[in-house]
Amino acid sequence: MTVPRHFLFLIASTREPGHMGNTEWLARQAAASLPADTVQTWVHLARAGIPEFVDQRHTLGSYLMPEAGSVMRQLLDQTLACTDLVLVAPVYWFSFPSTLKAYLDHWSAWLRVPGLDFKAQMSQKRLWLITTNGDRAKAQPMIDSTAMCAKFLDMPLAGVLWGKGGAPEAVKGDAAAVEKARELFFEEHESLSQESAVSIAPQSLITAKELGDAGERHACELLRVRGYEATLLPPNSRTYDIRVRRGGVEFFVSVKASREKQHVRLGARQSVLGLASGNFVFAFLPLPKQQLEDLIAGQYVLLILPAELARNDALSIHDQYWMTKQKDPNIFSVMVKGYGTHHRAMWPQWLAYKDAWNLLPEA
Ligand SMILES: Cc1cc2nc3c(=O)[nH]c(=O)nc-3n(C[C@H](O)[C@H](O)[C@H](O)COP(=O)(O)O)c2cc1C
């Protein structure tokens, strides 16, 4: 049995009580996808009454454990109790709001409480950042700070989500951010290194859903050109998107499309288990270092993968990865990637299925 995750959401916005900020709203979209047994603790740092941090590193040299019942003891206990620490922080002056900074400054004390072993405990948790402001580029210094803080404590920075904020509710209009929020805690993120946090891709013009729909239509056209009868299955059909027929032959195709990255996101584990011999996965990928905005010949790579190969390869990586982390593999999206230590070896084998039309059954 896996231990349920415990998410601590630290809200750093200083909006007045009763006025939910963009960043908190976005965080709540992400949290809504968490399994029911996930513990969620939400703290408004601005209302917590965090005392000023006193730097006694070079006088006393150490700090007492915060007193039982004090604000800082409660925050320390909440911090240590979580498996996932989520900074829910708008950009203030290109940086962390002072509410969050005040909390983080106390880490310098907690690092020096004898016997607490704060760093070792923190290294077992995952750090996330959810942020909003008017302009993605201006959020970069704060994202970099987060990555450096994570590195200092040996914490994996598991994911960064940025949304276009501004006045309250503005972020609701950022469809890409809202969509990413739903997946944020489920994707098997590589721990973002400082470098990769810096190079988070700019916003795409097309949403993942739009590209997915375009991929299904385009796959149908490509099949029809080759003499197959291709019919889209009803939306939300499990595992497959297209029924293909020619003469007495029938098979099914699952279509995937990636906008920015060299990866194939196969989706929920239950759906992947449905990939069966005789059927196929069509995976549209962007050309290396480009974004896929439209499915125009020559501007994408199409992998035509036998369904059972896709299922077996992907689940062997996925299950092993999450088992070693003692996490339930069913709650994470199944992917195969051209990057990341435990995926890279498989990727060239998958690329060999580029335009593998010859594998489709003839009538
Ligand atoms: C004190 C303060 C400083 C801000 N500084 C910046 C800034 O440096 N760059 C920026 O793009 N937006 C800045 N903003 C705008 C906020 O980042 C933006 O409105 C954000 O979506 C607010 O998040 P919230 O709705 O969750 O409170 C600032 C807002 C405040 C209140």
Coordinates of all heavy atoms in Angstrom, one line a residue, residues 11 13 15-29 42 44 47 88 166-172:
I11 N 0.1 30.0 0.4 CA -0.4 31.1 -0.5 C 0.3 32.4 0.0 O 0.2 32.8 1.1 CB -1.9 31.3 -0.3 CG1 -2.6 29.9 -0.7 CG2 -2.4 32.4 -1.2 CD1 -4.0 29.8 -0.1
S13 N 0.0 35.5 -1.8 CA -0.7 36.7 -2.2 C -1.2 37.5 -1.0 O -1.5 36.9 0.0 CB -1.9 36.3 -3.1 OG -2.7 37.5 -3.4
R15 N -3.8 39.5 -1.2 CA -5.2 40.0 -1.5 C -6.0 40.0 -0.2 O -5.7 39.1 0.7 CB -5.9 39.0 -2.4 CG -5.3 38.9 -3.8 CD -5.9 39.8 -4.8 NE -5.3 39.6 -6.1 CZ -5.2 40.5 -7.1 NH1 -5.8 41.7 -6.8 NH2 -4.7 40.3 -8.2
E16 N -7.0 40.9 -0.1 CA -7.8 40.9 1.2 C -8.6 39.7 1.4 O -8.9 39.0 0.4 CB -8.8 42.1 1.1 CG -8.1 43.4 0.9 CD -8.9 44.3 0.0 OE1 -8.7 44.3 -1.2 OE2 -9.7 45.1 0.5
P17 N -8.9 39.3 2.6 CA -9.7 38.2 2.9 C -11.0 38.2 2.1 O -11.6 39.3 2.0 CB -10.0 38.3 4.4 CG -8.9 39.1 5.0 CD -8.5 40.0 3.9
G18 N -11.4 37.1 1.6 CA -12.7 37.1 0.8 C -12.4 37.4 -0.7 O -13.3 37.3 -1.5
H19 N -11.2 37.7 -1.1 CA -10.9 38.0 -2.5 C -9.8 37.0 -2.9 O -8.6 37.2 -2.6 CB -10.3 39.4 -2.7 CG -11.4 40.4 -2.3 ND1 -12.2 41.1 -3.2 CD2 -11.8 40.9 -1.1 CE1 -13.0 41.9 -2.6 NE2 -12.8 41.8 -1.3
M20 N -10.2 36.0 -3.6 CA -9.2 35.0 -4.0 C -8.4 35.5 -5.2 O -8.9 36.0 -6.2 CB -9.9 33.7 -4.5 CG -8.9 32.6 -4.7 SD -9.6 31.0 -5.4 CE -10.5 30.4 -4.0
G21 N -7.1 35.4 -5.1 CA -6.2 35.9 -6.1 C -6.1 34.9 -7.2 O -6.5 33.7 -7.1
N22 N -5.4 35.3 -8.3 CA -5.2 34.5 -9.5 C -4.4 33.2 -9.2 O -4.7 32.1 -9.7 CB -4.5 35.2 -10.6 CG -5.3 36.4 -11.1 OD1 -6.2 36.1 -11.9 ND2 -5.0 37.6 -10.7
T23 N -3.4 33.4 -8.4 CA -2.5 32.3 -8.1 C -3.1 31.2 -7.3 O -3.0 30.0 -7.6 CB -1.2 32.9 -7.4 OG1 -0.9 34.2 -7.9 CG2 0.0 32.0 -7.7
E24 N -3.9 31.7 -6.3 CA -4.6 30.7 -5.5 C -5.6 29.9 -6.3 O -5.8 28.7 -6.3 CB -5.3 31.3 -4.3 CG -6.0 30.3 -3.4 CD -6.7 30.9 -2.2 OE1 -6.5 32.1 -1.9 OE2 -7.5 30.2 -1.6
W25 N -6.3 30.7 -7.2 CA -7.3 30.1 -8.0 C -6.7 29.0 -8.9 O -7.2 27.9 -9.0 CB -8.0 31.1 -8.9 CG -9.2 30.6 -9.7 CD1 -10.5 30.4 -9.3 CD2 -9.1 30.0 -11.0 NE1 -11.2 29.8 -10.3 CE2 -10.4 29.6 -11.4 CE3 -8.1 29.9 -12.0 CZ2 -10.7 29.0 -12.6 CZ3 -8.4 29.3 -13.2 CH2 -9.6 28.9 -13.5
L26 N -5.5 29.3 -9.5 CA -4.9 28.4 -10.4 C -4.4 27.2 -9.6 O -4.5 26.0 -10.1 CB -3.6 29.1 -11.0 CG -3.0 28.4 -12.2 CD1 -4.0 28.1 -13.3 CD2 -1.8 29.2 -12.7
A27 N -3.9 27.4 -8.4 CA -3.5 26.3 -7.5 C -4.6 25.4 -7.2 O -4.5 24.2 -7.1 CB -2.8 26.8 -6.3
R28 N -5.8 26.0 -7.0 CA -7.0 25.2 -6.6 C -7.4 24.3 -7.8 O -8.0 23.3 -7.7 CB -8.1 26.0 -6.1 CG -7.7 26.6 -4.7 CD -8.9 27.1 -3.9 NE -8.4 27.7 -2.6 CZ -8.3 27.0 -1.5 NH1 -8.6 25.7 -1.4 NH2 -7.9 27.5 -0.3
Q29 N -7.2 24.8 -9.1 CA -7.5 24.0 -10.2 C -6.6 22.8 -10.2 O -7.0 21.7 -10.5 CB -7.3 24.8 -11.6 CG -8.1 26.1 -11.7 CD -9.5 25.9 -11.4 OE1 -10.2 25.1 -12.0 NE2 -10.0 26.5 -10.3
W42 N -3.9 24.2 3.3 CA -3.8 25.5 2.7 C -3.5 26.5 3.8 O -4.2 26.6 4.7 CB -5.1 25.8 2.0 CG -5.3 24.9 0.8 CD1 -5.9 23.7 0.8 CD2 -5.1 25.2 -0.6 NE1 -5.9 23.2 -0.4 CE2 -5.5 24.1 -1.3 CE3 -4.6 26.3 -1.3 CZ2 -5.4 24.0 -2.7 CZ3 -4.5 26.3 -2.7 CH2 -4.9 25.1 -3.4
H44 N -2.6 30.7 4.3 CA -2.4 32.1 3.8 C -1.2 32.7 4.6 O -1.4 33.1 5.8 CB -3.7 32.9 4.0 CG -4.7 32.7 3.0 ND1 -4.7 33.3 1.8 CD2 -5.7 31.8 2.9 CE1 -5.6 32.9 1.0 NE2 -6.3 32.0 1.7
R47 N -1.7 36.0 6.5 CA -2.5 36.0 7.7 C -2.0 35.2 8.8 O -2.6 35.0 9.8 CB -3.9 35.6 7.3 CG -4.6 36.5 6.3 CD -5.9 35.9 5.8 NE -6.0 36.4 4.4 CZ -6.8 35.8 3.5 NH1 -7.5 34.7 3.8 NH2 -6.8 36.3 2.2
V88 N 2.6 29.0 -3.7 CA 1.5 29.6 -4.5 C 1.8 31.1 -4.4 O 1.2 31.8 -3.6 CB 0.2 29.2 -3.9 CG1 -1.0 29.7 -4.8 CG2 0.0 27.7 -3.8
G166 N -2.9 39.2 -13.2 CA -3.2 40.7 -13.3 C -4.3 40.9 -12.3 O -4.2 40.6 -11.1
A167 N -5.4 41.5 -12.8 CA -6.6 41.7 -11.9 C -7.2 40.4 -11.6 O -7.0 39.4 -12.3 CB -7.6 42.6 -12.7
P168 N -8.0 40.3 -10.4 CA -8.6 39.1 -10.0 C -9.4 38.4 -11.2 O -10.0 39.1 -12.0 CB -9.5 39.5 -8.9 CG -8.9 40.7 -8.3 CD -8.3 41.4 -9.5
E169 N -9.2 37.1 -11.3 CA -9.9 36.3 -12.3 C -9.3 36.3 -13.7 O -9.7 35.6 -14.6 CB -11.4 36.6 -12.4 CG -12.1 36.6 -11.1 CD -13.6 36.3 -11.2 OE1 -14.1 36.1 -12.3 OE2 -14.3 36.2 -10.2
A170 N -8.2 37.2 -13.9 CA -7.6 37.3 -15.2 C -7.1 35.9 -15.6 O -7.2 35.5 -16.8 CB -6.4 38.3 -15.1
V171 N -6.6 35.1 -14.7 CA -5.9 33.8 -15.1 C -7.0 32.8 -15.6 O -6.6 31.9 -16.3 CB -5.2 33.3 -13.9 CG1 -6.1 32.6 -12.8 CG2 -4.1 32.3 -14.3
K172 N -8.2 33.1 -15.3 CA -9.2 32.2 -15.9 C -9.2 32.2 -17.4 O -9.7 31.3 -18.1 CB -10.6 32.5 -15.3 CG -10.8 32.3 -13.8 CD -12.2 32.6 -13.4 CE -12.3 32.4 -11.9 NZ -13.6 32.7 -11.3

